[in-house]
């Protein structure tokens, strides 16, 4: 029999790493917000020939704002997971030690006259551990869903960025290079954010796998 | 870990837990003490995280866990009380008595359930099942907020780090030859006790107490005349003097 029923404490490092990834993603999204605002000004200056480009910049600006908001939300969940996992680690440590004492008392020939008084706190600790594990699992699901949602939004941002790049070719020649440069920056930024989201998803997946192998004793 | 009943009357008992030869290497050996009264108990300086399991195993030999209603931490050091987060889950209804100034620090060890009762600088007394226990100020010896526990009925002073000796884990429980024992105490007291003024203040206070046994948190217990010998030796010792990097 496993001494400890479950173990979600493997999440606390990976969740903190996800929070760091999302912080970086947010900084890039903030840069995109500024870039899309600049792109709007550039399109206005370019006039009718960049009307299509101008229309797309407002979409990019909205997407960037949404990315910042989602980054904040995911960051909060990631920090919650990290905190919960740390509490869970302490509960797990108490559970392990109590089970150790109980097991040794059963084996030992020494008189542990009051060992039964350990049963109640041990059951309470195991119940608390299970409760904490469930809370972590719910947060992990929420985090993974939000990350997937963010990834979809980033795909849209990349498409709009690519369309902006194409639209920039329609602008008058003196504005073309600046608009193209701007559109390229937006595509690059969306790609960079996507990498942070992918890393976050991979970190969560690795933690889930580690948890699974801990629980099955593999 | 050994468990040793060092005082026994019909009203209450004192236990020493220590000399844990299963402890990880390079962890200082510590003495934990327990006063067991009719239906309550005070666990004093319960120790570090690494000692929690052997302590728990030793305690259930002596009393049911729910009887541990009071915990005392002389100060904030990890070897004194870093196990707090684990006791918090084991005896959640207990009250922790510790110097008032350490509350915000001790909570870093984790304390969601155990109630904190800060001891005021001038000291306080508590009564457990009719037994009065006095928290004797021992500030700056070595911690800036620090108390001893005095049991006037048993004539025992739990002196925390005062009187501590750094010895092997198999050292006897009681001081047998005071002069020989000095070598194990001297460096510790010169280095860890920073203030001669605080030291003399404590000695004056403790000389007024009737003490049969002085029980430090490390090393051996002083009995009978060795208590007075310790006070005389400590009085003459220049403390705060072992760090050669500092010009004193």
């Amino acid at each position: 029999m496993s001494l400890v029923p479950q173990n979600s404490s493997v999440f606390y490092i990976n969740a903190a790493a996800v929070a760091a990834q999302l912080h970086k993603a947010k900084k890039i999204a903030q840069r995109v917000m500024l870039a899309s605002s600049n792109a709007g000004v550039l399109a206005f200056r370019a006039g009718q020939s960049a009307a299509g480009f101008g229309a797309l910049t407002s979409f990019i600006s909205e997407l960037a704002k949404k990315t910042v908001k989602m980054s904040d939300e995911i960051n909060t969940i990631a920090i919650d997971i990290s905190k919960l996992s740390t509490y869970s680690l302490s509960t797990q440590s108490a559970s392990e030690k109590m089970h150790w004492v109980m097991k040794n008392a059963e084996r030992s020939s020494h008189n542990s006259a009051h060992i039964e008084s350990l049963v109640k706190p041990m059951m309470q600790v195991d119940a608390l551990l299970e409760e904490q594990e469930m809370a972590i699992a719910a947060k992990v699901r929420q985090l993974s869903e939000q990350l997937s949602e963010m990834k979809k939004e980033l795909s849209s941002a990349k498409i709009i960025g690519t369309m902006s790049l194409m639209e920039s070719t329609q602008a008058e020649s003196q504005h073309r290079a600046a608009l193209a440069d701007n559109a390229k920056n937006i595509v690059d930024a969306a790609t960079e954010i996507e990498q942070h989201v992918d890393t976050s998803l991979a970190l969560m997946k690795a933690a889930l796998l580690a948890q699974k192998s801990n629980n099955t004793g593999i | 870990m050994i468990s040793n009943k060092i005082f026994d009357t019909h009203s209450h008992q004192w236990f020493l837990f220590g000399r844990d030869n299963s402890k990880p290497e390079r962890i200082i050996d510590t003495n934990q003490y327990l006063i067991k009264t009719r239906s309550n108990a005070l666990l004093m300086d319960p120790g570090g995280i690494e000692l929690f399991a052997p302590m728990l195993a030793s305690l259930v030999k002596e009393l049911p866990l729910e009887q541990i209603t009071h915990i005392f931490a002389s100060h904030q050091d990890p070897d004194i009380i870093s196990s707090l987060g684990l006791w918090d889950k084991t005896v959640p209804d207990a009250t922790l008595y510790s110097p008032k100034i350490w509350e915000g620090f001790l909570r870093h060890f984790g304390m969601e359930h155990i109630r904190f009762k800060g001891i005021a600088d001038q000291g306080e007394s508590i009564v457990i099942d009719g037994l009065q226990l006095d928290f004797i100020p021992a500030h700056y010896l070595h911690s800036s907020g620090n108390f001893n526990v005095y049991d006037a009925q048993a004539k025992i002073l739990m002196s925390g780090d005062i009187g501590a000796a750094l010895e092997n884990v198999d050292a006897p429980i009681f001081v047998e030859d005071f002069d020989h024992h000095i070598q194990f105490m001297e460096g510790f007291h010169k280095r860890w006790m920073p203030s001669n003024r605080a030291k003399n203040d404590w000695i004056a206070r403790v000389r007024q107490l009737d003490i049969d046994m002085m029980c430090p948190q490390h090393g051996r217990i002083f009995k009978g005349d060795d208590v007075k010998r310790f006070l005389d030796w400590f009085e003459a010792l220049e403390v705060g003097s072992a760090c050669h990097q500092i010009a004193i």
Side-chain angles (χ1 to χ4, degrees):
Chain A
M1 191 191 83
S2 167
L3 285 184
V4 180
Q6 293 171 45
N7 182 351
S8 280
S9 303
V10 284
F11 285 111
Y12 79 102
I13 294 171
N14 286 27
V18 167
Q21 290 291 328
L22 266 295
H23 179 72
K24 286 175 188 166
K26 181 185 163 181
K27 292 280 173 203
I28 300 164
Q30 282 169 333
R31 246 177 33 223
V32 172
M33 277 166 71
L34 188 66
S36 64
S37 166
N38 288 343
V41 173
L42 274 174
F44 180 74
R45 281 189 197 146
Q48 192 55 37
S49 65
F53 189 100
L56 291 170
T57 56
S58 61
F59 283 109
I60 291 166
S61 179
E62 278 309 306
L63 279 170
K65 271 185 206 164
K66 206 168 173 183
T67 304
V68 169
K69 191 168 172 279
M70 286 182 89
S71 299
D72 281 338
E73 286 168 2
I74 298 172
N75 214 327
T76 305
I77 301 168
I79 290 166
D80 282 349
I81 292 172
S82 198
K83 276 185 193 167
L84 279 167
S85 305
T86 311
Y87 295 146
S88 171
L89 194 65
S90 155
T91 312
Q92 189 194 330
S93 169
S95 172
E96 278 174 353
K97 287 171 175 27
M98 287 176 180
H99 280 274
W100 180 87
V101 170
M102 182 61 81
K103 201 174 165 184
N104 276 22
E106 282 163 6
R107 282 181 183 169
S108 168
S109 54
H110 297 296
N111 178 27
S112 296
H114 304 282
I115 191 68
E116 78 286 350
S117 67
L118 182 59
V119 173
K120 189 181 167 194
M122 200 166 80
M123 283 172 70
Q124 284 170 341
V125 163
D126 285 348
L128 176 65
L129 185 59
E130 200 174 329
E131 196 183 298
Q132 287 171 337
E133 303 284 348
M134 282 166 70
I136 293 166
K139 288 272 179 192
V140 168
R141 275 197 300 276
Q142 196 186 353
L143 183 90
S144 300
E145 282 165 16
Q146 295 255 41
L147 283 169
S148 301
E149 182 63 26
M150 195 169 169
K151 205 166 151 58
K152 279 183 203 162
E153 298 289 345
L154 286 167
S155 299
S156 307
K158 278 167 76 178
I159 292 166
I160 294 170
T162 309
M163 284 167 70
S164 304
L165 196 58
M166 286 161 67
E167 284 293 335
S168 67
T169 61
Q170 306 299 312
E172 287 169 3
S173 57
Q174 72 267 35
H175 300 294
R176 206 174 291 156
L179 287 169
D181 196 39
N182 216 293
K184 194 174 171 304
N185 284 344
I186 288 165
V187 174
D188 289 349
T191 307
E192 215 179 319
I193 295 173
E194 197 174 31
Q195 281 167 359
H196 288 301
V197 173
D198 284 340
T199 306
S200 301
L201 280 163
L203 283 164
M204 278 296 102
K205 196 175 168 187
L208 280 163
L209 279 171
Q211 183 204 29
K212 199 176 166 189
S213 71
N214 271 345
N215 287 346
T216 52
I218 296 166
Chain B
M1 177 178 286
I2 63 142
S3 160
N4 203 304
K5 195 187 283 182
I6 57 172
F7 176 81
D8 190 5
T9 57
H10 69 281
S11 62
H12 69 291
Q13 297 82 42
W14 275 72
F15 293 89
L16 157 74
F17 303 97
R19 309 293 190 271
D20 181 24
N21 55 21
S22 69
K23 71 176 177 59
E25 274 182 63
R26 289 186 284 180
I27 282 188
I28 189 168
D29 191 48
T30 51
N31 298 331
Q32 290 70 233
Y33 296 96
L34 177 86
I35 300 174
K36 183 183 167 190
T37 58
R38 193 180 59 255
S39 49
N40 294 276
L42 170 70
L43 178 58
M44 289 170 276
D45 286 356
I49 291 171
E50 292 288 349
L51 278 190
F52 174 79
M55 262 307 286
L56 192 59
S58 298
L59 284 166
V60 293
K61 290 173 188 165
E62 309 300 345
L63 81 176
L65 293 170
E66 61 270 17
Q67 195 171 336
I68 302 171
T69 47
H70 300 68
I71 299 175
F72 167 77
S74 60
H75 59 287
Q76 84 296 355
D77 272 352
D79 63 325
I80 299 284
I81 188 68
S82 66
S83 57
L84 179 59
L86 298 166
W87 291 111
D88 188 65
K89 291 178 174 68
T90 311
V91 285
D93 299 324
T95 299
L96 172 67
Y97 294 84
S98 198
K100 208 172 180 175
I101 63 163
W102 291 126
E103 178 175 7
F105 297 75
L106 289 172
R107 286 190 182 278
H108 279 278
F109 291 132
M111 186 168 53
E112 283 179 63
H113 306 99
I114 286 176
R115 197 169 66 93
F116 183 83
K117 175 76 178 66
I119 309 168
D121 277 352
Q122 67 273 21
E124 287 175 28
S125 297
I126 56 168
V127 177
I128 306 175
D129 287 333
L131 174 69
Q132 180 177 322
L133 297 167
D134 304 318
F135 298 128
I136 307 292
H139 306 307
Y140 299 105
L141 299 172
H142 63 93
S143 171
S144 46
N146 196 39
F147 287 97
N148 299 163
V149 179
Y150 178 61
D151 174 354
Q153 271 191 42
K155 299 181 183 176
I156 297 176
L157 179 74
M158 200 290 269
S159 58
D161 277 320
I162 308 167
L166 305 178
E167 277 189 277
N168 290 334
V169 77
D170 55 356
I173 288 171
F174 294 101
V175 173
E176 291 160 356
D177 177 344
F178 184 83
D179 290 337
H180 182 258
H181 190 59
I182 288 173
Q183 61 184 307
F184 304 117
M185 301 190 291
E186 192 167 350
F188 181 88
H189 286 78
K190 278 182 173 174
R191 179 70 199 243
W192 266 274
M193 305 294 163
S195 162
N196 284 310
R197 191 174 150 197
K199 177 198 74 173
N200 292 332
D201 178 63
W202 177 82
I203 290 170
R205 191 176 306 115
V206 167
R207 281 199 195 279
Q208 292 171 23
L209 305 174
D210 189 4
I211 301 171
D212 279 350
M213 261 190 269
M214 190 181 110
C215 304
Q217 197 235 343
H218 307 282
R220 307 188 196 193
I221 293 172
F222 300 84
K223 274 207 300 193
D225 290 343
D226 280 339
V227 175
K228 188 183 176 303
R229 282 190 194 102
F230 173 79
L231 294 176
D232 292 344
W233 170 81
F234 194 32
E235 196 165 33
L237 188 73
E238 189 72 21
V239 298
S241 60
C243 186
H244 302 298
Q245 278 73 37
I246 300 170
I248 299 167

